[in-house]
Amino acid sequence: MIIENSKTYNVNEVENLFFRPSFCGKSAEELGIRVLYNMPIPTKLPLFGNKHNILKEFSSGWQGEIHHDYRETEIPMAKLKAENSYSAEAYFSTIYELLTNSADVNLGDLTGTDLEKAETEIFRRAIVESIYATMWFGDESGEVSNLTGFSGFIRKIIDIYDNDSSNSSVIVFEEDTEAAADMIFQEVWEQAKDDLRSIATEGNLAYFVSSDIYDAYHFWLEHQGFTSAIADTNNTRPTLAFHGIPVVEIPARKYDTNRAKSFCILTDRRNLVLALNTADSPEKEIHMWYNPDEMENRQRVVFLAGTAIADKDILSAYIYDADLTL
């Protein structure tokens, strides 16, 4: 069986079927970061400082002051094209496997709707995985990663260090310190600026760490018997915490990254920003079609994406990379 019927999703379908389910609401929260979706181009991120003293002794008339702490940063948006192609046989086999996992599908009477849903789900998963990998490890220059669509958080943290290492809370090691995982967490906390420590009570801080540090910390907790820092979970990986701050694993080894495979980043979840836009590109559609000449099924989508670190002063990081040239 060959899936020959082409399918085009318009801009609203692209938004509702492919991007919003994965990058908005609860799905965005599960990513552990802040997601801006379809903001006006150029995409600007407002930054407000804390204005503590707004109380005045009562008198008639307006006594409020202009908020001079308002700042904004522009998020660089890259135009991206995601494409997939499969041989007709491999394509149907992949879709058929997905269908067999669905309890409400009659495999003896596959309708166009069932096939379309499966086809859409396969492409959606591929898009989400690619965006996730690039938002962490992307590097347009190709120096830190082979994911060159747009620069991700690791590249931007290295840039913070490069631009002002003496005044940043980023430590980059070119030699393995062999520090214990718990000591890395402690050091990252101690080197954090007051701006970061002062918002700890808001409950949005998290340690974002590579798998090697996550594993080392997990084993250390078990060895020490600190089971209270290991939360029960239905997933295969436990949920860890360091002094009440969640530890989030970022699987660097899973992706094709050249460098910066070991890191520990402490920041407010809202400080790491991913911006996506499917509305402000001339190509506002997703196409899926069968190419009879090559006998393969093809998928394509064009969209805009970019990342930003909102405030470098509420970020503290440890990055080890023996190959990194500073």
Side-chain angles (χ1 to χ4, degrees):
M1 179 177 181
I2 298 175
I3 303 174
E4 292 185 342
N5 295 330
S6 62
K7 175 64 181 177
T8 298
Y9 292 94
N10 61 36
V11 64
N12 291 325
E13 291 172 319
V14 170
E15 176 180 338
N16 295 326
L17 296 178
F18 287 85
F19 284 87
R20 283 200 176 275
S22 301
F23 297 105
C24 294
K26 181 174 175 58
S27 296
E29 294 174 4
E30 291 173 352
L31 289 175
I33 61 168
R34 181 178 176 186
V35 179
L36 302 180
Y37 188 72
N38 275 353
M39 297 288 286
I41 298 293
T43 303
K44 295 186 178 181
L45 179 67
L47 307 172
F48 287 91
N50 292 323
K51 191 177 180 72
H52 299 291
N53 185 21
I54 63 171
L55 299 179
K56 307 290 183 181
E57 183 178 349
F58 177 79
S59 65
S60 61
W62 175 256
Q63 293 179 282
E65 299 175 1
I66 296 176
H67 200 311
H68 294 290
D69 290 338
Y70 175 80
R71 296 172 292 131
E72 63 181 14
T73 182
E74 185 172 319
I75 303 177
M77 301 290 284
K79 186 175 182 179
L80 305 171
K81 179 174 68 172
E83 294 179 323
N84 259 348
S85 65
Y86 303 82
S87 69
E89 182 179 358
Y91 196 58
F92 182 72
S93 296
T94 303
I95 287 180
Y96 192 83
E97 180 181 2
L98 186 62
L99 287 169
T100 59
N101 293 325
S102 179
D104 58 350
V105 172
N106 181 4
L107 296 177
D109 182 24
L110 291 177
T111 65
T113 301
D114 292 331
L115 293 174
E116 183 179 306
K117 288 180 179 178
E119 185 179 35
T120 300
E121 178 62 15
I122 288 174
F123 197 29
R124 187 195 67 81
R125 290 180 184 180
I127 293 170
V128 171
E129 181 75 4
S130 296
I131 292 175
Y132 180 84
T134 308
M135 81 177 186
W136 276 105
F137 305 107
D139 179 18
E140 292 173 294
S141 70
E143 295 177 1
V144 175
S145 171
N146 294 327
L147 302 166
T148 58
F150 58 93
S151 291
F153 301 130
I154 296 296
R155 173 74 260 182
K156 293 181 183 293
I157 291 172
I158 291 174
D159 288 342
I160 291 173
Y161 178 89
D162 288 345
N163 294 333
D164 191 4
S165 60
S166 62
N167 192 40
S168 73
S169 296
V170 178
I171 298 177
V172 178
F173 292 98
E174 294 183 79
E175 296 182 1
D176 191 355
T177 62
E178 297 184 355
D182 61 307
M183 297 303 297
I184 292 175
F185 286 109
Q186 185 65 34
E187 184 171 5
V188 169
W189 171 259
E190 290 178 353
Q191 75 182 10
K193 294 185 177 181
D194 291 341
D195 301 61
L196 177 56
R197 294 192 188 194
S198 65
I199 59 176
T201 56
E202 296 180 18
N204 289 303
L205 296 192
Y207 284 97
F208 297 92
V209 304
S210 52
S211 298
D212 59 328
I213 293 179
Y214 186 95
D215 289 340
Y217 183 54
H218 183 201
F219 294 148
W220 181 82
L221 288 173
E222 289 184 329
H223 181 72
Q224 299 294 325
F226 297 150
T227 55
S228 61
I230 306 176
D232 291 333
T233 177
N234 293 325
N235 299 322
T236 57
R237 302 286 280 176
T239 300
L240 308 183
F242 179 78
H243 291 308
I245 300 175
V247 177
V248 180
E249 180 185 14
I250 308 299
R253 65 183 65 160
K254 180 180 179 180
Y255 304 110
D256 188 15
T257 57
N258 294 332
R259 298 170 178 167
K261 295 183 178 180
S262 183
F263 56 86
C264 176
I265 301 164
L266 173 64
T267 191
D268 189 295
R269 294 177 183 269
R270 299 164 295 184
N271 196 36
L272 303 178
V273 183
L274 169 68
L276 296 169
N277 190 301
T278 59
D280 291 301
S281 175
E283 306 90 346
K284 299 178 181 179
E285 300 173 330
I286 284 183
H287 298 284
M288 300 181 185
W289 72 99
Y290 176 71
N291 185 310
D293 294 333
E294 301 295 334
M295 297 182 66
E296 64 182 17
N297 287 80
R298 295 178 175 179
Q299 304 167 319
R300 175 187 292 144
V301 62
V302 178
F303 59 97
L304 305 175
T307 61
I309 294 176
D311 190 343
K312 65 181 181 180
D313 289 331
I314 57 172
L315 177 141
S316 181
Y318 160 106
I319 295 178
Y320 162 64
D321 178 11
D323 297 323
L324 190 62
T325 301
L326 302 176

